[in-house]
Amino acid sequence: MNAANRPLVSVVIPTFNRAWAVERAVDSVLEQDYRPFELIIVDDGSTDQTSDILARYGDQLTVVCQENRGVSAARNSGIVRAKGDLIAFLDSDDYWKPQKLTVQVDFFTFHPDALICQTGSFEKFLAWMKPEFRPWVTWV
């Protein structure tokens, strides 16, 4: 944990040819009400204007460029570079509400035995999930 006793969160965004969407994803992370976090974007060999868009952010984020190896390899590259106590993933064509990291860090603070948590539409998730697994779900 950091000096203020708040965990550093490493946010990893893998991207490939998402110039049309990556800006919204990045902005949603930069607008989080939680600090501290680091933002790592893994450009998985984009051939569009993704790199130009990311360059506009300067030192607000870290860009890792690699040959196209797929989204899983891009996430793994981000994990290797992460310095945080917690890691959060965001797809480059998605975005977060400003309180997302706060809600999840609070969850881990109050549930120190938890290894993973996720946010989203709980009702949609339960509708998809088999009934026999529902009693073991914790949602924040």
Side-chain angles (χ1 to χ4, degrees):
M1 295 226 193
N2 65 20
N5 209 24
R6 295 182 70 167
L8 173 67
V9 178
S10 296
V11 178
V12 176
I13 301 177
T15 191
F16 174 71
N17 286 344
R18 291 260 174 89
W20 57 272
V22 72
E23 186 172 15
R24 183 176 187 192
V26 169
D27 288 347
S28 78
V29 174
L30 296 176
E31 293 167 1
Q32 290 298 297
D33 63 4
Y34 181 86
R35 297 291 187 275
F37 67 81
E38 66 173 344
L39 178 52
I40 302 166
I41 313 293
V42 181
D43 186 347
D44 192 37
S46 294
T47 57
D48 64 357
Q49 284 68 47
T50 297
S51 62
D52 296 332
I53 291 166
L54 296 175
R56 295 182 206 151
Y57 290 96
D59 63 0
Q60 295 181 83
L61 50 83
T62 299
V63 177
V64 177
C65 296
Q66 65 182 34
E67 287 182 16
N68 182 262
R69 297 192 331 244
V71 68
S72 296
R75 282 191 187 104
N76 289 339
S77 292
I79 291 169
V80 167
R81 288 161 180 83
K83 298 178 183 118
D85 303 295
L86 300 170
I87 297 174
F89 296 108
L90 175 62
D91 290 338
S92 59
D93 63 345
D94 205 350
Y95 66 95
W96 287 343
K97 293 182 179 178
Q99 304 81 19
K100 192 259 197 224
L101 289 179
T102 296
V103 168
Q104 288 194 294
V105 170
D106 286 350
F107 174 84
F108 282 113
T109 300
F110 292 107
H111 300 89
D113 56 332
L115 301 176
I116 188 170
C117 74
Q118 150 181 353
T119 57
S121 174
F122 189 60
E123 293 78 19
K124 288 180 184 177
F125 180 73
L126 282 180
W128 168 83
M129 180 182 264
K130 293 180 179 180
E132 61 267 24
F133 295 121
R134 290 181 190 163
W136 292 279
V137 174
T138 301
W139 207 265
V140 295

